[in-house]
Coordinates of all heavy atoms in Angstrom, one line a residue:
K233 N 20.1 6.6 16.6 CA 20.1 6.4 15.1 C 19.4 5.1 14.7 O 18.7 5.1 13.7 CB 21.6 6.4 14.7 CG 21.7 6.3 13.2 CD 23.2 6.4 12.8 CE 23.3 6.3 11.3 NZ 24.7 6.3 10.8
K234 N 19.6 4.1 15.5 CA 18.9 2.8 15.2 C 17.4 3.0 15.3 O 16.6 2.4 14.5 CB 19.4 1.7 16.1 CG 20.7 1.1 15.7 CD 21.3 0.1 16.7 CE 20.3 -1.0 17.1 NZ 20.9 -2.0 18.0
T235 N 17.0 3.8 16.3 CA 15.5 4.0 16.5 C 15.0 4.8 15.3 O 13.9 4.5 14.8 CB 15.3 4.8 17.8 OG1 15.9 4.1 18.9 CG2 13.9 5.1 18.1
I236 N 15.7 5.8 14.8 CA 15.2 6.6 13.6 C 15.1 5.6 12.4 O 14.1 5.6 11.7 CB 16.2 7.7 13.3 CG1 16.1 8.8 14.4 CG2 15.9 8.3 11.9 CD1 17.2 9.9 14.3
L237 N 16.1 4.8 12.2 CA 16.1 3.9 11.1 C 14.9 2.8 11.2 O 14.3 2.5 10.2 CB 17.4 3.2 10.9 CG 18.6 4.0 10.5 CD1 19.9 3.3 10.5 CD2 18.3 4.7 9.1
K238 N 14.7 2.4 12.4 CA 13.6 1.5 12.7 C 12.3 2.1 12.4 O 11.4 1.5 11.8 CB 13.7 0.9 14.1 CG 12.7 -0.2 14.3 CD 12.9 -0.8 15.7 CE 14.1 -1.7 15.8 NZ 14.2 -2.5 17.0
G239 N 12.1 3.4 12.8 CA 10.9 4.1 12.5 C 10.6 4.3 11.0 O 9.5 4.1 10.5
I240 N 11.7 4.6 10.3 CA 11.6 4.8 8.8 C 11.3 3.4 8.2 O 10.4 3.4 7.3 CB 12.9 5.4 8.3 CG1 13.1 6.8 8.7 CG2 13.0 5.3 6.7 CD1 14.4 7.4 8.4
G241 N 11.9 2.4 8.6 CA 11.6 1.0 8.1 C 10.2 0.6 8.3 O 9.6 0.1 7.4
L242 N 9.7 0.8 9.5 CA 8.4 0.4 9.9 C 7.3 1.2 9.1 O 6.3 0.7 8.6 CB 8.1 0.5 11.4 CG 8.8 -0.5 12.2 CD1 8.7 -0.1 13.7 CD2 8.3 -1.9 12.0
G243 N 7.6 2.5 8.9 CA 6.7 3.3 8.2 C 6.7 3.0 6.7 O 5.6 2.9 6.1
S244 N 7.9 2.7 6.1 CA 8.0 2.2 4.7 C 7.2 0.9 4.5 O 6.5 0.8 3.5 CB 9.4 2.1 4.3 OG 10.1 3.3 4.5
Y245 N 7.5 0.0 5.4 CA 6.8 -1.3 5.3 C 5.3 -1.2 5.3 O 4.6 -1.8 4.5 CB 7.3 -2.3 6.4 CG 6.6 -3.6 6.4 CD1 6.9 -4.6 5.5 CD2 5.6 -3.8 7.4 CE1 6.3 -5.8 5.5 CE2 5.0 -5.0 7.4 CZ 5.3 -6.0 6.5 OH 4.6 -7.2 6.5
F246 N 4.8 -0.4 6.3 CA 3.4 -0.2 6.4 C 2.8 0.5 5.1 O 1.8 0.1 4.7 CB 3.1 0.7 7.6 CG 1.7 1.1 7.8 CD1 0.8 0.1 8.3 CD2 1.2 2.3 7.4 CE1 -0.6 0.4 8.5 CE2 -0.2 2.6 7.5 CZ -1.0 1.7 8.1
A247 N 3.5 1.5 4.6 CA 3.0 2.2 3.4 C 2.9 1.3 2.2 O 1.9 1.3 1.5 CB 3.9 3.4 3.1
I248 N 3.9 0.5 2.0 CA 3.9 -0.5 0.9 C 2.9 -1.5 1.1 O 2.1 -1.8 0.2 CB 5.3 -1.1 0.7 CG1 6.3 0.0 0.2 CG2 5.3 -2.2 -0.3 CD1 7.7 -0.4 0.2
A249 N 2.8 -2.1 2.3 CA 1.9 -3.2 2.5 C 0.4 -2.8 2.4 O -0.4 -3.4 1.8 CB 2.2 -3.8 3.9
I250 N 0.2 -1.6 3.0 CA -1.2 -1.1 3.0 C -1.7 -0.7 1.6 O -2.8 -0.9 1.2 CB -1.5 0.0 4.1 CG1 -2.9 0.0 4.5 CG2 -1.0 1.3 3.6 CD1 -3.4 -1.1 5.3
H251 N -0.7 -0.2 0.9 CA -1.1 0.2 -0.5 C -1.4 -1.0 -1.3 O -2.4 -1.0 -2.1 CB 0.1 1.0 -1.1 CG -0.2 1.6 -2.4 ND1 -1.1 2.6 -2.6 CD2 0.3 1.3 -3.7 CE1 -1.2 2.9 -3.9 NE2 -0.3 2.1 -4.6
L252 N -0.6 -2.0 -1.2 CA -0.8 -3.3 -2.0 C -2.1 -4.0 -1.5 O -2.9 -4.5 -2.3 CB 0.4 -4.2 -2.0 CG 1.6 -3.7 -2.7 CD1 2.8 -4.6 -2.4 CD2 1.4 -3.4 -4.1
L253 N -2.3 -4.0 -0.2 CA -3.5 -4.7 0.3 C -4.7 -4.0 0.0 O -5.8 -4.6 -0.4 CB -3.4 -4.9 1.8 CG -2.4 -5.9 2.3 CD1 -2.2 -5.9 3.8 CD2 -2.8 -7.3 1.8
N254 N -4.7 -2.6 0.0 CA -5.9 -1.9 -0.5 C -6.2 -2.1 -1.9 O -7.3 -2.2 -2.3 CB -5.7 -0.4 -0.2 CG -5.9 0.0 1.3 OD1 -6.6 -0.7 2.0 ND2 -5.4 1.1 1.7
G255 N -5.1 -2.2 -2.7 CA -5.3 -2.5 -4.2 C -5.9 -3.9 -4.3 O -6.9 -4.1 -5.2
L256 N -5.5 -4.8 -3.6 CA -6.0 -6.2 -3.7 C -7.5 -6.3 -3.2 O -8.3 -6.9 -3.9 CB -5.1 -7.1 -2.9 CG -5.5 -8.6 -2.9 CD1 -5.3 -9.1 -4.3 CD2 -4.6 -9.4 -1.9
L257 N -7.7 -5.6 -2.1 CA -9.1 -5.6 -1.6 C -10.1 -4.8 -2.5 O -11.2 -5.2 -2.7 CB -9.2 -4.9 -0.2 CG -8.7 -5.8 0.9 CD1 -8.6 -5.0 2.2 CD2 -9.6 -7.0 1.1
S258 N -9.6 -3.8 -3.2 CA -10.4 -3.0 -4.1 C -10.7 -3.9 -5.3 O -11.8 -3.9 -5.9 CB -9.6 -1.8 -4.6 OG -10.3 -1.1 -5.6
M259 N -9.7 -4.7 -5.7 CA -9.9 -5.6 -6.9 C -10.9 -6.7 -6.5 O -11.8 -7.0 -7.3 CB -8.6 -6.2 -7.3 CG -8.7 -7.2 -8.5 SD -7.1 -7.9 -8.9 CE -6.8 -9.0 -7.6
L260 N -10.8 -7.2 -5.3 CA -11.7 -8.3 -4.9 C -13.1 -7.9 -4.5 O -14.1 -8.5 -4.9 CB -11.1 -9.1 -3.7 CG -9.8 -9.8 -4.0 CD1 -9.2 -10.4 -2.8 CD2 -10.0 -10.9 -5.1
L261 N -13.2 -6.8 -3.8 CA -14.5 -6.4 -3.3 C -15.3 -5.4 -4.2 O -16.5 -5.5 -4.4 CB -14.4 -5.7 -1.9 CG -13.8 -6.7 -0.9 CD1 -13.6 -5.9 0.4 CD2 -14.7 -7.9 -0.7
D262 N -14.5 -4.4 -4.8 CA -15.2 -3.4 -5.6 C -15.1 -3.7 -7.1 O -15.5 -2.9 -7.9 CB -14.5 -2.0 -5.3 CG -14.7 -1.6 -3.9 OD1 -15.7 -2.1 -3.3 OD2 -13.9 -0.8 -3.4
E263 N -14.4 -4.8 -7.4 CA -14.2 -5.2 -8.8 C -13.5 -4.1 -9.7 O -13.8 -3.9 -10.8 CB -15.5 -5.6 -9.4 CG -16.1 -6.8 -8.7 CD -17.4 -7.3 -9.3 OE1 -17.8 -6.7 -10.3 OE2 -18.0 -8.2 -8.8
E264 N -12.6 -3.3 -9.1 CA -11.8 -2.4 -9.8 C -10.5 -3.1 -10.3 O -10.1 -4.1 -9.8 CB -11.3 -1.2 -8.9 CG -12.4 -0.3 -8.4 CD -11.9 0.8 -7.6 OE1 -10.7 1.2 -7.7 OE2 -12.7 1.3 -6.8
D265 N -9.9 -2.5 -11.3 CA -8.6 -3.1 -11.8 C -7.5 -2.8 -10.8 O -7.4 -1.7 -10.2 CB -8.3 -2.5 -13.1 CG -9.3 -3.0 -14.2 OD1 -9.8 -4.1 -14.1 OD2 -9.5 -2.2 -15.2
F266 N -6.6 -3.7 -10.7 CA -5.5 -3.6 -9.7 C -4.5 -2.6 -10.1 O -4.1 -1.7 -9.3 CB -4.8 -5.0 -9.5 CG -3.7 -5.0 -8.5 CD1 -4.0 -5.0 -7.2 CD2 -2.4 -5.1 -8.9 CE1 -3.0 -5.0 -6.2 CE2 -1.4 -5.2 -8.0 CZ -1.7 -5.1 -6.7
L267 N -4.0 -2.6 -11.3 CA -3.0 -1.7 -11.8 C -3.3 -0.2 -11.7 O -2.6 0.6 -11.2 CB -2.5 -2.1 -13.2 CG -1.2 -1.4 -13.6 CD1 0.0 -1.7 -12.7 CD2 -0.9 -1.8 -15.0
P268 N -4.5 0.2 -12.2 CA -4.9 1.6 -12.1 C -5.0 2.1 -10.6 O -4.7 3.2 -10.3 CB -6.3 1.7 -12.7 CG -6.3 0.6 -13.7 CD -5.5 -0.5 -13.1
Y269 N -5.4 1.2 -9.7 CA -5.5 1.5 -8.3 C -4.1 1.8 -7.8 O -3.8 2.7 -7.0 CB -6.2 0.4 -7.5 CG -6.4 0.8 -6.1 CD1 -7.6 1.3 -5.6 CD2 -5.4 0.6 -5.1 CE1 -7.8 1.7 -4.3 CE2 -5.5 0.9 -3.8 CZ -6.8 1.5 -3.4 OH -6.9 1.8 -2.1
I270 N -3.2 0.9 -8.1 CA -1.8 1.0 -7.6 C -1.1 2.2 -8.1 O -0.3 2.8 -7.3 CB -1.0 -0.3 -8.0 CG1 -1.6 -1.5 -7.3 CG2 0.5 -0.2 -7.6 CD1 -1.5 -1.5 -5.8
V271 N -1.3 2.6 -9.3 CA -0.5 3.8 -9.8 C -1.3 5.1 -9.7 O -0.8 6.1 -10.1 CB -0.2 3.5 -11.3 CG1 0.7 2.3 -11.5 CG2 -1.4 3.4 -12.2
S272 N -2.4 5.1 -9.0 CA -3.2 6.3 -8.8 C -2.4 7.2 -7.8 O -2.0 6.8 -6.7 CB -4.6 6.0 -8.2 OG -5.2 7.1 -7.7
L273 N -2.2 8.4 -8.2 CA -1.4 9.4 -7.4 C -2.0 9.7 -6.1 O -1.4 9.8 -5.0 CB -1.1 10.6 -8.2 CG -0.2 11.6 -7.5 CD1 1.2 11.0 -7.4 CD2 -0.1 12.9 -8.4
D274 N -3.4 9.8 -6.1 CA -4.1 10.1 -4.8 C -3.9 8.9 -3.8 O -3.6 9.2 -2.6 CB -5.6 10.2 -5.1 CG -5.9 11.4 -5.9 OD1 -5.0 12.3 -6.1 OD2 -7.0 11.5 -6.4
R275 N -3.9 7.7 -4.3 CA -3.8 6.6 -3.3 C -2.4 6.4 -2.9 O -2.1 5.9 -1.8 CB -4.4 5.4 -4.0 CG -5.9 5.6 -4.2 CD -6.6 4.4 -4.7 NE -8.0 4.6 -4.7 CZ -8.8 4.4 -5.7 NH1 -8.3 4.0 -6.9 NH2 -10.1 4.6 -5.6

């Protein structure tokens, strides 16, 4: 059970972190707006 919870936690952390970092990189490198990137359903 601890292993299942750890897998869920690591996956959630990765999803949130990579989503925010991709938004930040998109804003810095591609000069896109941060908020539309973050709320985009595809992303």
Side-chain angles (χ1 to χ4, degrees):
K233 185 177 180 181
K234 282 174 55 176
T235 303
I236 290 170
L237 293 176
K238 191 176 280 192
I240 291 170
L242 289 170
S244 301
Y245 175 75
F246 176 79
I248 292 168
I250 204 71
H251 187 65
L252 293 175
L253 287 173
N254 280 339
L256 184 64
L257 285 174
S258 175
M259 181 180 73
L260 294 174
L261 298 177
D262 299 335
E263 298 179 4
E264 291 183 25
D265 291 332
F266 181 72
L267 191 58
Y269 185 94
I270 294 298
V271 297
S272 170
L273 187 61
D274 296 346
R275 294 184 174 132

